[in-house]
Structure formats: structure tokens, C-alpha cells
């Protein structure tokens, strides 16, 4: 009996498990939210475990080329859909599982109960994200993007109020148009190369005639537009701050991850399709300057933002812009520092968004309005009477957690944000071709965005924790403090384990640079031979 | 034939773009639908236009795939239609919800000043 080893079957788990669990939860009555929560939690723990195992497996010598390939429906590669787990996919699966676990636990007390089908939508969103990380087929990627987006539409609208529905209308309309662009891009790529398999794409593009090349390039550019809309490149990312500010905190924490899915897809396709041949490095310059423009936009936006939700949105835009510029720059060492930055900034922005939900409890209802007018009219608030003796623990927790997330987002020492920026600068300053104008622009903008982040977050912190005049410390449930601690604890762990992590990320980037072995590995994976007819199963 | 189809797709897509830039949600959704029709046609055409080509079937002997219509773009367009249909329906629901909550059918959820 020629069965597939369990290690390869495991690649299917991050997609299949949330799909089945989410579907099973739909008919369950909303009143049994403890049951729903338990199923979702169990599912998330299994996903975390499988992501850890996949990460470990792809880093060992088990699979040739560190590439686990699962052939869906047992069709050989360019014809069927292949799912591929490599180091990068494993890493992002782990990030997804960690973030979703935190968001889920955070939502258990209140947020998951304000509307219907929260847990099913949550699981479908996970299925879409995990699928987008694993698939090796362009059209399948589109399907997983749509699953992810459809679930996110529902989640953004979760807890239906006027703000959310206004933000949701724009979010959905923009993403529907982006999906149409996605389809046009796929159709053009198929028309010019005759394949949709990402591994098959590279060799075919290298063999394209000069007459067919423009068609492919137009297709690839339109496809990139769709990804960059999700990754919020300027001027395609105006939807992002409004949506983040409107969504409920656990959902907003997951949305942070979704912007990274667009960038992941871009990196994956570009490093396979445009690795060699006449079109090598197509569009990377545009991506670099687009990333720079995004950085400028995010920097100005975070200074102008008054609501914490919008600040987090602009922080996510800054992080997207940095990643685009880093990938567009094309230096592999820079890219591995970029991945480190991605991990830290995603975790910290998500933690910040969760914190925002908690800090709103200590702000009086009029505080937001006051904050808006404070700048314009310089209203001097009356100092409040000092309250109680010492600092209540809940308030201290909020303050410390806020400070830690702000340190990571802005890249100040001693946490992981600093190491990320340090290694980015290190790679930029030690480039082979010396330090060019591009390098200087990127470095100056990264520093400026950090400074703007410090100013904006300090202003928010001072207003919330020092000048808010909170009379009573907020009540924090352990399920709310726990996830924030988990996310920030991971940032601390990333700082402590920066050496091994950066070494792993360098191996990841090296894999990305070896498109040839990826192609060979995916295309040569044999199908499982079917048993001869008549044999008892 | 190519020219006619290209003009038709362009007309559909262009009208769609004009409509999604309009301020009323109803115009936006009609625009999205027109654009998705244009894209569906476009995907279909990307499998190359041909007259009198049979669908790919399992005929006895080894068939020459060049004699048959491209089945993949047909499969893609089916999937795209289904997904587009579902997301449009979802948008319709939100449109109605927005109309109920905000009392206006403007895309911003409030009437503009003038």
C-alpha cells in the first residue's frame, strides 16, 4: 500500500480543519457560545501545533529542498493544484495561528457574543489566510483570497453599527474591484503563458518570445495592483485606517495580518516568476518607490490621526510600506531583516489594537471629542484630584503593555522593533554596491516614520494614562490581559532569540532566492500510484 | 469577432467604472455587476476565440488537444461567476442595511452638503 506519509498529509490540516469546524458550527445555536468557543479554541490549538510541526519539518532535511508538496486530488503538478509548505509558509502559518489564538481568547468575554456566527466567520477567515500561504496555484490563490475576504466582510460588520457599516461599504466595494483586477491579471497571465501553476510560471516566462512579453507584464502588473490594494500601498490604501478604526478590536488584530497576506503573495509570485530570463526583476523599482510613497503617507497619517484605531492603521501602513520598499530593493540580506520586521510589527500592532479596546474603558465618553478640539482651541483641562494610593494593577498593566507595544512599533530599544531596524540598516549600509540614493531615502524615511510614531503614540499615551483623570481603574478580565501579554511576550522572546531567528530567516530568504530548485521540486513530485484494480481496499 | 468582443468588454467595463464612481449605492452595485460581467467575458476570451471547436472529451485514441476548445478558461469563468455572484449578493445585503441604519442611499452614509 503506497500511502502518503503523514508529514505530507499535515500540509492539508491548516486549510481543512477550519473549513470543517467552521461549517459544523453554523447550525449550532448561538446561545451555546461556550461550546462554540471551545471548538474554535481547540481548532486554533491544533492549528498552532500543526504550524509548529510544519515549521520544524521544513527546516529539517526530511523533504528535498526543504519543500513539502501535497498534490490535491493526486494530480501531477502543472495540471492539478499543489499545496507547498516551505520555511516562509511555515513561519507565516505560525504567525497566523498565534495571532488568531490571541484574538480569539480576547473575544471570548464580550466581542464574540455581540453578533451571530462570529466563530464560523473567524474559522473561515483562518482557512482563507492559511490557504493563501500554502497554495501554489494562481487561481486557487484567488479562491482563498475570496474566502478570506468574504469572511472578513462579515467580521468587519460584526456588531453592526453605523460606523462599521459605513466603513464596511467602502471596504467591500474596494475589495470587490480589487478582486476583479486579480481576475484580469490571472486571465492575462494564463493567456500569455498557458499555465496558472506558480512553479511552472518561471520557466515558461523565461522562454517567452519578445512579442508575448508585454502581455504578461501587463497581466503581472494588474495582479500586483490587486495584491497592493490589500497590502495598502499608496494610493490604494485609503480604506485601511477607517476600516481598522471601525472594526471591533479582535477583528482589527486579524486584519493586521491580512495586509501581510497581499505582500506575501507578491513576494512569492515575484520570486518564482521573475527570478531569471528577460523579465527578471520586473516592476521591482516601481514597488520600491511605491513603498517609499506608502511610508511617507503612513508617517504623515500617524501624525494626523487622533483616534488610536486610526493610529494603528497608519502604523500598519508604515510597516507595509517598509516591506514593499525592502522587497523592491532586491537585496536578500535586507529581505531577511524585513521578515524579522514583519513578525515584530505585526505582533505589536495587533497587541496595540487589542489594547485600544481596553483603554477605551478608562476614557470618559467625551474624551475622544475633547481630544479633537484640544489641539485647535488649546483647552486647558482642570487637573483632577489625585486618586487613591499607588497605582492600581490594571492601570499599570495597561500602561506597561502600551509602552511595550509602542516601543516595538516605533523601533526603540530594547525590544524587537529596534533589532529589526538595526538589521535593516545593517543590510542597507553593507550592500555590495555601496550606499546609493535609494538606500539613503529608505533609511531616512524609516527613521522619520519611527519619530512620527513616537510623537503620535506618546501623545496618545499621555492623554490616556496621565491626563485622562480616570477615577476608577478599569476592570480587566484575565482573558483580555492574557492575549496582550502573549503577543508582547513573543516580541520579547523575539528579542532574546534574535540570533537563531535571524539565522532561520536567512535560510528562508535563501530558499526564496533558489527558484530553480523550488520549480524542480514541485514539478517532479510524483503522484501516489493508484492500487491495481480488483485489489481489496 | 475579436474586435466586436473587445469593444463589448470595454463598453461594459467602462460603464462599470463610471457607475462605481457615482454617489448612490444602487449605482455602485450595478457598476460592480457590469464590471464583473466584463471580467467574466474577458477570462473566457483569454482561452482564445474559435468557431466550431468541440469541447475536450475523452475520445478513443489519442486526441490532439489543439482541435478542442480550451477547457480551463471555461472552468475558471464558472468559478469566477459563482464567487462574483456571492460577493455581489453580500454587498446587496450591506447596502440594504446601510439604507436602514443611515436613512440615505449615499455611499458615505450621509448626504453631501450642496
Amino acid at each position: 500500500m503506497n500511502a502518503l506519509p503523514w508529514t505530507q498529509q499535515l500540509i492539508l490540516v491548516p486549510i481543512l480543519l477550519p473549513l470543517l469546524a467552521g461549517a459544523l458550527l453554523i447550525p449550532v445555536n448561538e446561545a451555546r457560545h461556550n461550546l462554540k468557543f471551545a471548538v474554535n479554541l481547540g481548532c486554533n490549538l491544533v492549528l498552532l501545533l500543526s504550524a509548529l510541526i510544519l515549521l520544524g519539518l521544513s527546516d529539517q532535511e526530511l523533504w528535498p529542498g526543504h519543500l513539502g508538496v501535497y498534490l490535491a486530488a493526486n494530480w501531477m503538478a502543472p495540471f492539478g493544484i499543489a499545496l507547498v509548505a516551505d520555511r516562509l509558509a511555515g513561519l507565516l502559518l505560525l504567525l497566523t495561528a498565534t495571532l488568531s489564538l490571541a484574538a480569539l481568547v480576547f473575544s471570548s468575554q464580550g466581542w464574540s457574543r455581540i453578533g451571530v456566527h462570529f466563530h464560523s466567520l473567524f474559522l473561515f477567515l483562518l482557512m482563507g489566510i492559511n490557504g493563501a500561504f500554502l497554495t501554489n496555484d494562481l487561481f486557487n490563490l484567488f479562491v482563498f483570497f475570496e474566502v478570506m475576504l468574504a469572511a472578513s466582510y462579515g467580521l468587519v460588520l460584526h456588531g453592526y453599527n453605523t460606523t462599521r457599516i459605513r466603513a464596511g461599504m467602502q471596504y467591500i466595494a474596494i475589495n470587490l474591484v480589487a478582486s476583479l483586477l486579480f481576475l484580469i491579471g490571472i486571465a492575462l497571465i494564463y493567456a500569455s503563458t498557458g499555465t496558472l501553476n506558480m512553479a511552472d510560471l518561471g520557466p515558461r516566462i523565461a522562454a517567452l518570445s519578445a512579442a508575448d512579453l508585454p502581455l504578461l507584464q501587463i497581466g503581472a502588473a494588474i495582479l500586483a495592483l490587486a495584491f497592493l490594494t490589500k497590502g495598502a500601498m499608496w494610493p490604494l490604501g485609503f480604506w485601511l485606517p477607517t476600516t481598522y478604526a471601525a472594526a471591533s478590536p479582535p477583528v482589527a488584530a486579524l486584519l493586521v495580518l491580512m495586509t501581510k497576506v497581499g505582500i506575501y503573495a507578491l513576494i512569492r509570485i515575484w520570486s518564482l516568476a521573475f527570478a531569471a530570463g528577460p523579465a527578471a526583476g520586473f516592476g521591482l523599482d516601481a514597488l520600491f518607490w511605491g513603498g517609499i510613497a506608502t511610508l511617507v503617507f503612513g508617517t504623515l497619517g500617524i501624525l494626523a490621526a487622533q483616534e488610536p484605531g486610526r493610529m494603528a492603521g497608519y502604523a500598519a501602513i508604515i510597516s507595509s510600506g517598509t516591506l514593499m520598499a525592502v522587497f523592491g530593493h532586491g537585496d536578500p540580506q535586507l529581505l531577511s531583516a524585513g521578515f524579522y520586521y514583519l513578525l515584530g510589527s505585526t505582533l505589536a500592532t495587533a497587541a496595540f489594537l487589542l489594547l485600544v479596546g481596553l483603554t477605551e474603558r478608562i476614557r470618559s465618553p467625551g474624551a475622544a471629542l475633547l481630544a479633537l478640539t484640544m489641539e485647535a482651541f488649546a483647552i486647558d483641562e482642570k487637573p483632577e484630584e489625585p486618586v487613591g494610593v499607588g497605582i492600581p494593577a490594571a492601570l499599570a498593566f495597561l500602561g506597561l503593555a502600551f509602552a511595550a507595544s509602542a516601543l516595538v512599533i516605533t523601533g526603540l530599544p530594547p525590544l524587537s522593533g529596534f533589532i529589526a531596524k538595526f538589521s535593516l540598516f545593517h543590510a542597507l549600509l553593507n550592500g555590495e554596491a555601496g550606499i546609493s540614493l535609494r538606500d539613503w531615502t529608505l533609511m531616512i524615511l524609516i527613521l522619520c516614520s519611527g519619530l512620527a510614531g513616537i510623537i503620535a503614540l506618546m501623545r496618545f499615551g499621555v492623554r490616556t494614562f496621565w491626563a485622562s483623570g480616570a477615577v476608577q481603574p478599569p476592570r480587566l478580565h484575565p482573558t483580555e490581559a492574557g492575549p496582550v501579554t502573549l503577543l508582547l511576550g513573543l516580541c520579547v522572546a523575539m528579542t532574546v532569540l534574535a540570533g537563531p531567528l535571524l539565522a532561520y530567516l536567512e535560510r528562508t530568504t535563501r530558499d526564496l532566492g533558489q527558484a530553480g530548485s523550488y520549480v524542480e521540486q514541485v514539478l517532479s513530485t510524483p503522484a501516489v500510484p493508484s492500487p491495481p484494480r480488483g485489489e481489496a481496499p | 469577432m475579436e474586435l466586436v468582443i473587445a469593444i463589448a468588454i470595454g463598453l461594459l467595463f467602462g460603464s462599470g467604472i463610471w457607475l462605481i464612481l457615482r454617489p448612490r449605492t444602487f449605482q455602485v452595485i450595478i457598476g460592480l455587476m457590469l464590471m464583473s460581467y466584463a471580467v467574466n467575458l474577458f477570462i473566457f476570451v483569454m482561452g482564445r476565440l474559435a468557431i466550431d471547436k468541440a469541447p475536450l472529451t475523452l475520445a478513443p485514441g489519442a486526441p490532439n488537444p489543439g482541435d478542442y476548445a480550451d477547457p480551463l478558461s471555461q472552468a475558471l469563468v464558472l468559478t469566477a461567476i459563482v464567487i462574483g455572484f456571492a460577493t455581489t449578493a453580500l454587498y446587496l445585503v450591506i447596502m440594504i442595511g446601510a439604507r436602514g441604519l443611515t436613512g440615505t442611499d449615499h455611499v458615505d452614509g450621509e448626504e453631501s452638503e450642496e
Side-chain angles (χ1 to χ4, degrees):
Chain A
M1 189 68 204
N2 284 307
L4 216 54
W6 68 272
T7 48
Q8 259 159 295
Q9 306 274 15
L10 191 68
I11 300 172
L12 212 52
V13 170
I15 299 171
L16 218 50
L17 183 69
L19 172 67
L20 291 177
L24 279 177
L25 284 183
I26 291 177
V28 178
N29 194 321
E30 286 298 325
R32 312 184 66 179
H33 37 68
N34 281 333
L35 174 73
K36 287 193 160 198
F37 174 73
V39 172
N40 198 346
L41 185 69
C43 198
N44 260 286
L45 289 172
V46 175
L47 285 181
L48 187 66
L49 191 70
S50 63
L52 270 173
I53 297 175
L54 279 178
L55 185 81
L57 287 175
S58 62
D59 202 28
Q60 285 169 2
E61 297 301 323
L62 171 73
W63 291 324
H66 304 285
L67 216 62
V69 183
Y70 181 91
L71 301 175
N74 206 19
W75 280 48
M76 285 276 292
F79 305 111
I81 293 167
L83 302 172
V84 179
D86 65 348
R87 286 191 177 113
L88 182 58
L91 188 74
L92 290 170
L93 284 179
L94 186 60
L95 181 67
T96 312
T98 321
L99 256 181
S100 69
L101 189 65
L104 175 68
V105 173
F106 187 88
S107 70
S108 68
Q109 280 308 305
W111 287 110
S112 64
R113 302 183 189 180
I114 57 171
V116 291
H117 295 310
F118 177 83
H119 292 294
S120 297
L121 288 170
F122 192 96
L123 285 164
F124 292 145
L125 181 72
L126 287 185
M127 175 209 169
I129 295 177
N130 288 342
F133 286 146
L134 287 172
T135 188
N136 184 44
D137 184 273
L138 275 181
F139 199 78
N140 196 227
L141 183 68
F142 167 74
V143 173
F144 279 127
F145 258 77
E146 285 305 305
V147 169
M148 174 178 95
L149 288 171
S152 80
Y153 301 154
L155 284 174
V156 166
L157 291 169
H158 180 71
Y160 221 58
N161 61 20
T162 316
T163 327
R164 292 202 179 116
I165 212 158
R166 272 185 202 164
M169 289 263 287
Q170 294 165 5
Y171 174 67
I172 296 172
I174 286 172
N175 276 300
L176 287 181
V177 176
S179 301
L180 295 177
L181 290 180
F182 200 147
L183 281 174
I184 294 177
I186 289 179
L188 279 171
I189 290 178
Y190 177 67
S192 55
T193 62
T195 185
L196 288 172
N197 189 303
M198 292 184 208
D200 201 20
L201 214 53
R204 279 181 185 244
I205 289 175
L208 270 187
S209 69
D212 284 338
L213 207 54
L215 194 63
L216 172 92
Q217 285 174 330
I218 294 170
I222 293 178
L223 191 66
L225 273 186
F227 293 143
L228 291 172
T229 308
K230 270 115 194 165
M233 185 171 91
W234 183 86
L236 305 169
F238 294 126
W239 57 269
L240 190 142
T242 318
T243 312
Y244 276 30
S248 55
V251 174
L254 283 177
L255 288 180
V256 177
L257 195 69
M258 282 179 53
T259 55
K260 305 300 183 288
V261 180
I263 295 177
Y264 163 83
L266 199 71
I267 293 180
R268 170 69 80 204
I269 292 173
W270 249 247
S271 60
L272 284 174
F274 299 106
F282 166 70
L284 286 185
D285 267 339
L287 187 65
F288 178 80
W289 291 111
I292 294 285
T294 315
L295 259 175
V296 174
F297 173 62
T299 307
L300 296 178
I302 202 170
L303 278 178
Q306 296 286 347
E307 291 167 54
R310 296 186 79 87
M311 276 181 206
Y314 285 111
I317 287 183
I318 289 176
S319 125
S320 282
T322 311
L323 283 170
M324 287 168 203
V326 159
F327 182 61
H329 189 280
D331 181 358
Q333 208 193 345
L334 189 64
L335 189 59
S336 61
F339 283 137
Y340 186 84
Y341 175 78
L342 181 152
L343 295 178
S345 70
T346 309
L347 289 173
T349 315
F352 181 72
L353 277 162
L354 294 182
L355 272 175
V356 166
L358 299 178
T359 51
E360 264 156 22
R361 287 185 206 165
I362 59 175
R363 305 182 80 178
S364 50
L369 194 68
L370 208 61
L372 264 176
T373 49
M374 219 183 305
E375 231 84 298
F377 302 105
I379 295 174
D380 211 349
E381 262 191 307
K382 267 190 204 165
E384 298 279 333
E385 300 282 319
V387 191
V389 187
I391 306 165
L395 212 53
F397 168 78
L398 281 183
L400 277 177
F402 167 75
S405 63
L407 284 181
V408 179
I409 291 175
T410 57
L412 286 181
L415 290 182
S416 66
F418 175 69
I419 298 182
K421 291 204 170 164
F422 186 83
S423 38
L424 282 177
F425 283 11
H426 181 76
L428 281 171
L429 290 171
N430 288 309
E432 281 165 19
I435 308 167
S436 63
L437 176 70
R438 284 155 44 113
D439 299 348
W440 284 118
T441 320
L442 183 55
M443 273 191 285
I444 292 169
L445 275 173
I446 289 178
L447 285 177
C448 286
S449 69
L451 181 67
I454 295 168
I455 295 172
L457 292 173
M458 279 262 274
R459 190 175 51 187
F460 171 71
V462 166
R463 257 184 221 157
T464 312
F465 296 107
W466 291 349
S468 67
V471 189
Q472 51 182 12
R475 291 163 53 105
L476 291 188
H477 200 267
T479 57
E480 292 167 332
V484 179
T485 319
L486 170 74
L487 293 179
L488 293 172
L490 279 172
C491 286
V492 176
M494 276 179 61
T495 318
V496 177
L497 299 173
L501 187 58
L502 275 169
Y504 179 85
L505 291 173
E506 258 164 44
R507 292 198 292 275
T508 307
T509 330
R510 208 174 50 224
D511 285 354
L512 278 181
Q514 293 169 341
S517 86
Y518 182 101
V519 171
E520 194 200 325
Q521 188 57 36
V522 172
L523 293 186
S524 68
T525 301
V528 179
S530 50
R533 288 180 179 225
E535 187 183 290
Chain B
M1 186 163 61
E2 277 83 356
L3 191 68
V4 175
I5 300 254
I7 290 173
I9 292 174
L11 212 65
L12 276 175
F13 206 81
S15 327
I17 289 178
W18 188 73
L19 279 173
I20 61 163
L21 297 175
R22 304 294 303 159
R24 303 284 151 204
T25 46
F26 184 72
Q27 292 166 322
V28 173
I29 197 166
I30 296 293
L32 283 170
M33 287 167 76
L34 286 183
M35 280 167 80
S36 76
Y37 295 155
V39 169
N40 289 340
L41 264 177
F42 183 77
I43 300 174
F44 185 69
V45 170
M46 280 303 119
R48 304 293 188 275
L49 290 171
I51 294 176
D52 274 354
K53 270 195 180 177
L56 190 60
T57 44
L58 284 176
N64 175 16
D67 296 341
Y68 297 92
D70 187 346
L72 191 68
S73 61
Q74 298 172 9
L76 296 186
V77 84
L78 270 180
T79 319
I81 289 172
V82 173
I83 291 178
F85 192 68
T87 45
T88 314
L90 190 78
Y91 192 71
L92 196 64
V93 172
I94 290 152
M95 203 179 104
I96 295 167
R99 176 73 179 81
L101 272 182
T102 61
T104 163
D105 64 346
H106 196 278
V107 282
D108 291 336
E110 56 194 14
E111 290 296 327
S112 55
E113 292 300 314
E114 68 266 20

